Amino acid sequence: MEQKEELLAKMYYRMNQARFFEEKVSWFNSKGKINGSVHLAIGQEASSVASCLALDEKDFITMTHRCHAQAIGQGMDVKKMMAELLGKETGYCQGKGGSLHLSNMADHNVGSNDVPGMGYNLACGIALAQMLQKTGNIVLCFGGDGSTNEGDFHEALNLASVKQLPVIFFIENNYYSVSTAIEDHMKVESITDRAAAYEIPAVSIDGNDALEVYDATQKAAEFVRSGEGPMLIESCTYRMCGHDSSDLQLYRSKEEMEEWSQYDPIANLKNQLKEDQLMTDEVLRQLEENAKRSVNEAADFAENAPEPSLEAVLDSVYA
Amino acid sequence: MTDRMLTYREAVREAMTQAMRRDPEIVVMGEDIGIYQGSFGVTGQMYKEFGDRIIDTPISESAFVGCAIGAAMEGMRPIVEIMFSDFMTVCWDMLVNQAAKMHFMFGGKLSVPMVLRTAAGSGTGASAQHSQSLEAMLCHVPGLKVVAPSTPADAKGLLLAAIADNNPVIFLEQKTLYPTTGPVPEAADPVPLGKAATLRKGTDCTIVSYGRMVPRCLKAADMLEKQGITVDVIDLRTLLPMDKDAVRRSVKKTGHLVIVHEAVKTGGLGGEIAAAVTESDAFYALKAPVARLASRDVPVPFSPVLEEGVLPDEAAIAATVRQLVR
């Protein structure tokens, strides 16, 4: 029971951490302190964080371009993340990757991929290596609704199915592919219909309910780990922010956004923790404050971190 | 020992076989490479020795090349076979945006020790979509290495080096070379990547080439020698990184440069080779303009008359050299 409490506290902490992190990123971005655009996942924290928490320590994840919450969910250090976003030497990738290419191979986070749909194949490869090396580890492969229209998604699902690879395709359906609404970019009712074409078992879940996300991912992980082949989870959620920093969100109504904001995954979990798990306001407030402090410290760390040296720019072109 | 003759095809197979016996992390992936033995017969009966380490895949280049990249990132050393090099364009993202970038953009913390072997070039009547020489496109992508052996011995030695390399290496096997024979050492000795070979030594002109055109250059050298003209014939072997020093050294000696490749001329590596000389002090040694002999700028035609006709032959190479050194 205590173990469960610990898990729930971690879940709530990391979801808050992800939210504060992205609010800080948004602020940095507005001040021109981040080179280029950023893709935030505000509103998708339950989906990104709770899924990662259902994995074993040695399991792998691959991420999408909307990766901050996924990375925090998997346990990446917000200091090194923020330093990377600010292009600093002490960032995860020495300032060579940025927001779009975070990775932490040492802890089995294989990184984010900015070409939509191209991460599915790589996840298959990580899974193949696990299968051939008989490690018992599995791969959680994040994707988005829009990228399931890419041919590579279908190639990867077919290959994973044929070779029975230990991978969970975790598709975060936020109903928009940049500005294109899902009804305008796919004809099938649910992304799970696409898995059916490859005889991959699939479930559709409420991605704003962290506990449901956790349970579904845990079940999928068990299935995949047993050698039964891949699984697909469609995690239905909503991006409570623009696609990137320049998105004015003219393609959707204020009413729709308002309606979803009433279903904020963090508020949702907070209610569940209070009412069903009897977690006290004091504990919850402490978790929120700790999360906020960690992000503020990360921001200080990143701002004061050294810039990368131009002399070393060629260093990692080749291994 | 080195008198043992193997075909280019057998040499490639022997390199894979010897490497796989030593390293259990090596697998081969591709279309119809198991019991079908590969479209050009390269994998042969390897499936009998290596079982499930020879992995037949669905027709989905992006998926299996991506899968190989992922496996390579996680400690395996996959070799993928793409049936025709033209099909690399189907998985261009996997090569250009994924394999080539991983090590750099993730701050050097992971590597992609993958070899992509593929049958390249014209000469088999395979027509426009199955006969191209796309190496210049690959050489424009930092992070990749590109190799194009011309002899069975180099096919074996360079493939062993490619497999041992920690970077993604594109290994271009010119398909008309598969049945050609040459002496191949039995030992599994790698030939280092990035080093050109000087196959003929002379004083009047430098001929630089690679892949299928190398034998033609050697024939041209024979023809020229009978007329009292001697040439250096340099086989680049590795196209990226390119052994530019070997070219410069030779040009400083001969004062003339002729570049010969099978790929189309415009945007081809000939321009890069010429620039390697003209942007260095070897420029001052040049006594005449640099000549490039390459395919005409057309898709590879089907008719054998046209397919051969768009390429430089040994007579054209010899004539060009004669004209330059005159």
Side-chain angles (χ1 to χ4, degrees), chain A residues 171-217:
Chain A
I171 312 300
E172 302 191 291
N173 178 3
N174 64 17
Y175 298 100
Y176 287 91
S177 174
V178 186
S179 69
T180 307
I182 192 161
E183 57 270 26
D184 296 327
H185 76 68
M186 64 174 70
K187 270 291 189 189
V188 290
E189 194 69 26
S190 159
I191 290 161
T192 58
D193 295 342
R194 299 192 146 171
Y198 307 102
E199 286 207 348
I200 293 178
V203 289
S204 188
I205 59 168
D206 179 352
N208 278 20
D209 180 338
L211 301 178
E212 185 174 336
V213 171
Y214 180 85
D215 287 343
T217 313

Side-chain angles (χ1 to χ4, degrees), chain B residues 20 31 48 69 131 152 220 273 278 283 312 322:
Chain B
M20 287 179 82
E31 291 153 357
K48 286 190 178 163
I69 295 167
S131 302
I273 298 163
T278 56
F283 170 77
R322 264 196 307 273

Side-chain angles (χ1 to χ4, degrees), chain A residues 199-263:
Chain A
E199 286 207 348
I200 293 178
V203 289
S204 188
I205 59 168
D206 179 352
N208 278 20
D209 180 338
L211 301 178
E212 185 174 336
V213 171
Y214 180 85
D215 287 343
T217 313
Q218 201 178 40
K219 283 198 190 97
E222 206 175 299
F223 176 86
V224 166
R225 207 183 304 279
S226 71
E228 299 279 323
M231 248 196 95
L232 183 142
I233 296 173
E234 176 191 42
S235 176
C236 299
T237 181
Y238 195 78
R239 158 166 58 75
M240 288 163 47
C241 58
H243 160 71
D244 62 11
S245 9
S246 59
D247 181 2
L248 301 174
Q249 302 187 69
L250 301 174
Y251 46 86
R252 52 189 180 188
S253 69
K254 288 216 159 50
E255 292 74 28
E256 179 188 298
M257 290 192 270
E258 180 56 32
E259 199 177 315
W260 274 97
S261 72
Q262 299 303 309
Y263 196 54

Side-chain angles (χ1 to χ4, degrees), chain A:
Chain A
M1 202 61 199
E2 202 181 325
Q3 223 177 357
K4 190 180 177 195
E5 259 173 34
E6 218 170 88
L7 168 75
L8 293 173
K10 191 193 265 185
M11 194 181 284
Y12 189 66
Y13 172 80
R14 287 193 185 172
M15 282 168 62
N16 273 282
Q17 204 180 25
R19 178 70 57 90
F20 290 133
F21 184 87
E22 294 212 313
E23 286 171 352
K24 186 62 86 179
V25 167
S26 189
W27 181 84
F28 273 138
N29 201 231
S30 71
K31 298 285 173 205
K33 293 191 178 191
I34 291 180
N35 190 18
S37 198
V38 286
H39 304 78
L40 305 182
I42 290 174
Q44 303 186 187
E45 294 89 349
S47 176
S48 299
V49 172
S51 52
C52 289
L53 292 178
L55 299 175
D56 287 356
E57 203 185 336
K58 294 243 166 94
D59 290 338
F60 290 81
I61 76 162
T62 66
M63 307 189 290
T64 65
H65 61 292
R66 204 172 299 290
C67 65
H68 307 145
Q70 297 160 358
I72 289 171
Q74 201 255 356
M76 272 174 91
D77 173 1
V78 288
K79 281 186 180 167
K80 287 197 230 168
M81 280 177 67
M82 197 65 95
E84 185 60 32
L85 266 69
L86 266 60
K88 299 299 182 70
E89 177 67 34
T90 45
Y92 268 110
C93 309
Q94 299 157 0
K96 286 170 176 157
S99 161
L100 293 167
H101 302 298
L102 288 172
S103 83
N104 180 20
M105 203 58 188
D107 292 329
H108 290 194
N109 183 333
V110 191
S112 51
N113 212 295
D114 188 36
V115 190
M118 300 305 130
Y120 299 119
N121 300 326
L122 305 185
C124 286
I126 307 285
L128 177 73
Q130 303 317 304
M131 192 169 83
L132 294 173
Q133 296 168 343
K134 299 185 172 62
T135 63
N137 302 329
I138 64 164
V139 183
L140 179 75
C141 168
F142 281 105
D145 52 295
S147 74
T148 67
N149 295 315
E150 286 281 2
D152 281 62
F153 168 77
H154 296 270
E155 287 191 24
L157 260 65
N158 185 56
L159 188 70
S161 173
V162 167
K163 302 293 181 194
Q164 295 283 284
L165 301 177
V167 53
I168 302 170
F169 297 104
F170 190 91
I171 312 300
E172 302 191 291
N173 178 3
N174 64 17
Y175 298 100
Y176 287 91
S177 174
V178 186
S179 69
T180 307
I182 192 161
E183 57 270 26
D184 296 327
H185 76 68
M186 64 174 70
K187 270 291 189 189
V188 290
E189 194 69 26
S190 159
I191 290 161
T192 58
D193 295 342
R194 299 192 146 171
Y198 307 102
E199 286 207 348
I200 293 178
V203 289
S204 188
I205 59 168
D206 179 352
N208 278 20
D209 180 338
L211 301 178
E212 185 174 336
V213 171
Y214 180 85
D215 287 343
T217 313
Q218 201 178 40
K219 283 198 190 97
E222 206 175 299
F223 176 86
V224 166
R225 207 183 304 279
S226 71
E228 299 279 323
M231 248 196 95
L232 183 142
I233 296 173
E234 176 191 42
S235 176
C236 299
T237 181
Y238 195 78
R239 158 166 58 75
M240 288 163 47
C241 58
H243 160 71
D244 62 11
S245 9
S246 59
D247 181 2
L248 301 174
Q249 302 187 69
L250 301 174
Y251 46 86
R252 52 189 180 188
S253 69
K254 288 216 159 50
E255 292 74 28
E256 179 188 298
M257 290 192 270
E258 180 56 32
E259 199 177 315
W260 274 97
S261 72
Q262 299 303 309
Y263 196 54
D264 184 318
I266 296 179
N268 226 6
L269 180 62
K270 188 175 189 172
N271 286 338
Q272 287 167 322
L273 294 180
K274 274 165 73 167
E275 285 166 25
D276 304 335
Q277 310 295 332
L278 307 178
M279 217 176 259
T280 64
D281 280 327
E282 173 56 24
V283 170
L284 291 164
R285 196 179 53 77
Q286 197 61 53
L287 290 168
E288 290 161 22
E289 277 178 11
N290 291 350
K292 190 166 208 164
R293 189 180 327 110
S294 76
V295 170
N296 287 335
E297 285 169 6
D300 284 344
F301 173 82
E303 280 205 283
N304 295 314
E307 299 288 349
S309 92
L310 189 55
E311 288 76 48
V313 72
L314 293 176
D315 281 0
S316 42
V317 177
Y318 290 97

